[in-house]
């Protein structure tokens, strides 16, 4: 096995273990650590996506299913699939889907974001939320997402980013690197896992760099890049080149 492939596999196994271990506290911790901003950011992303009734969607690295559920509700009748590699996260999500009564429209499946098990041109939208920095190769995942959306379809990332204002960036990194792991230790009884999450952002591209990758390397048409809350997070919406059948 090549060195790069070994690094990818090592990261994949480590991230899998992290999310398997925090699945039962994941939703609560998201709200605590982001001051509930993640819900506002997702709502803003959905507004920009403008999902239409009947649209189909794939939520990659769906976790406990919140974004997949939002997509299903917006689509009303279109098929929505959520995919994740953590069985424990999916188990939490399945309970939510059943509570919402969406079993006929929304399916959560176990799978690998690096190798999506769907034919080309299958969905109107492919989304990934707060997970792109955790995958072994973000370019491959984005390319896979592009592959499975229809011509004219949207590839959407909602992800943590890096604040652009120097003072705010310093305060943010202090919270993210020093305070966040301690909260994880107290609330979720997991220190090492929440210490790793800030580290996952260090080498991740900022929102300008990610936009360039999506446009120049993945060959998407970038239609919208929106920093959120001073650059703490960012929305990237790329469109697969070509026209939809209705256009």
């Amino acid at each position: 096995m090549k060195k790069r492939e070994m690094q990818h596999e090592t990261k994949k196994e480590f991230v899998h273990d992290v999310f398997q271990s925090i699945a039962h506290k994941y939703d609560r911790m998201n709200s605590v650590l982001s001051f509930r901003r993640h819900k506002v950011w997702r709502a803003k992303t959905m507004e920009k996506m403008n999902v239409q009734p009947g649209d189909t969607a794939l939520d990659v690295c769906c976790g406990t299913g919140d974004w997949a559920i939002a997509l299903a509700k917006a689509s009303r009748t279109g098929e929505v699939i959520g995919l994740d590699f953590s069985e424990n996260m999916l188990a939490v999500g399945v309970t939510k889907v059943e509570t919402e009564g969406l079993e006929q429209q929304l399916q959560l499946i176990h799978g690998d974001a690096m190798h999506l098990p769907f034919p080309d041109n299958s969905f109107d939208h492919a989304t990934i939320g707060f997970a792109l920095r955790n995958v072994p190769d973000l370019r491959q995942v984005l390319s896979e997402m592009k592959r499975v959306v229809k011509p004219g379809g949207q590839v959407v990332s909602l992800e943590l980013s890096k604040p652009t204002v120097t003072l705010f960036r310093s305060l943010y990194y202090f919270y993210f690197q020093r305070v966040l792991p301690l909260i994880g230790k107290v609330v979720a009884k997991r220190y090492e896992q929440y210490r790793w999450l800030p580290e996952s952002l260090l080498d991740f591209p900022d929102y300008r760099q990610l936009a360039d990758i999506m446009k120049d390397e993945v060959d998407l048409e970038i239609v919208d890049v929106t920093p959120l809350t001073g650059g703490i997070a960012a929305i990237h919406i790329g469109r697969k080149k070509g026209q939809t059948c209705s256009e």
Side-chain angles (χ1 to χ4, degrees), residues 2-246:
K2 296 179 181 179
K3 181 177 180 180
R4 184 178 180 185
E5 292 174 345
M6 291 179 63
Q7 291 173 337
H8 286 177
E9 192 63 25
T10 299
K11 180 175 181 179
K12 177 182 175 181
E13 291 173 358
F14 179 76
V15 173
H16 179 265
D17 290 344
V18 167
F19 285 99
Q20 285 284 89
S21 68
I22 66 176
H24 64 296
K25 295 287 184 67
Y26 179 79
D27 291 328
R28 181 186 178 191
M29 287 299 296
N30 264 1
S31 294
V32 170
L33 297 174
S34 72
F35 303 100
R36 298 182 67 85
R37 297 306 297 171
H38 69 291
K39 296 185 178 182
V40 176
W41 296 336
R42 186 168 60 244
K44 179 69 173 178
T45 308
M46 288 292 294
E47 178 185 332
K48 286 184 167 294
M49 287 179 65
N50 191 28
V51 176
Q52 297 297 301
D55 280 0
T56 57
L58 169 67
D59 187 29
V60 179
C61 303
C62 67
T64 60
D66 284 351
W67 199 352
I69 289 171
L71 289 164
K73 289 181 176 180
S75 173
R76 301 180 188 174
T77 58
E79 180 185 16
V80 176
I81 296 177
L83 176 143
D84 202 276
F85 73 161
S86 169
E87 298 89 342
N88 291 351
M89 297 284 277
L90 288 169
V92 176
V94 167
T95 300
K96 293 182 183 180
V97 172
E98 293 173 348
T99 300
E100 295 286 348
L102 294 171
E103 302 97 314
Q104 299 303 311
Q105 184 191 1
L106 170 56
Q107 181 183 8
L108 301 184
I109 68 172
H110 183 256
D112 185 353
M114 298 275 285
H115 305 283
L116 297 176
F118 308 105
D120 298 356
N121 309 321
S122 296
F123 302 95
D124 296 300
H125 314 278
T127 61
I128 183 166
F130 306 112
L132 195 57
R133 72 188 188 281
N134 297 327
V135 300
D137 187 333
L138 66 89
R139 291 163 179 81
Q140 181 170 334
V141 170
L142 289 169
S143 294
E144 277 289 275
M145 292 170 68
K146 183 189 77 169
R147 178 182 65 79
V148 301
V149 298
K150 302 171 184 177
Q154 296 186 120
V155 173
V156 183
S157 168
L158 171 60
E159 184 56 271
L160 296 177
S161 191
K162 301 171 183 177
T164 54
V165 179
T166 303
L167 178 59
F168 183 46
R169 183 168 61 244
S170 298
L171 292 172
Y172 172 69
Y173 278 132
F174 177 79
Y175 169 75
F176 210 50
Q177 294 177 320
R178 301 295 181 86
V179 179
L180 183 151
L182 294 177
I183 296 175
K185 181 178 182 180
V186 172
V187 178
K189 310 304 180 185
R190 293 289 189 276
Y191 178 77
E192 291 299 326
Q193 290 85 343
Y194 283 94
R195 187 181 72 171
W196 175 80
L197 290 177
E199 293 175 359
S200 69
L201 187 61
L202 293 179
D203 296 326
F204 189 74
D206 64 30
Y207 69 87
R208 296 185 183 91
Q209 293 169 329
L210 182 56
D212 289 340
I213 290 170
M214 292 177 72
K215 182 177 180 180
D216 299 333
E217 300 184 43
V218 183
D219 198 29
L220 288 164
E221 295 177 337
I222 299 295
V223 296
D224 198 63
V225 181
T226 307
L228 301 165
T229 316
I232 288 178
I235 303 166
H236 289 74
I237 301 179
R239 193 173 293 275
K240 185 172 180 176
K241 294 179 180 179
Q243 293 185 329
T244 61
C245 295
S246 62

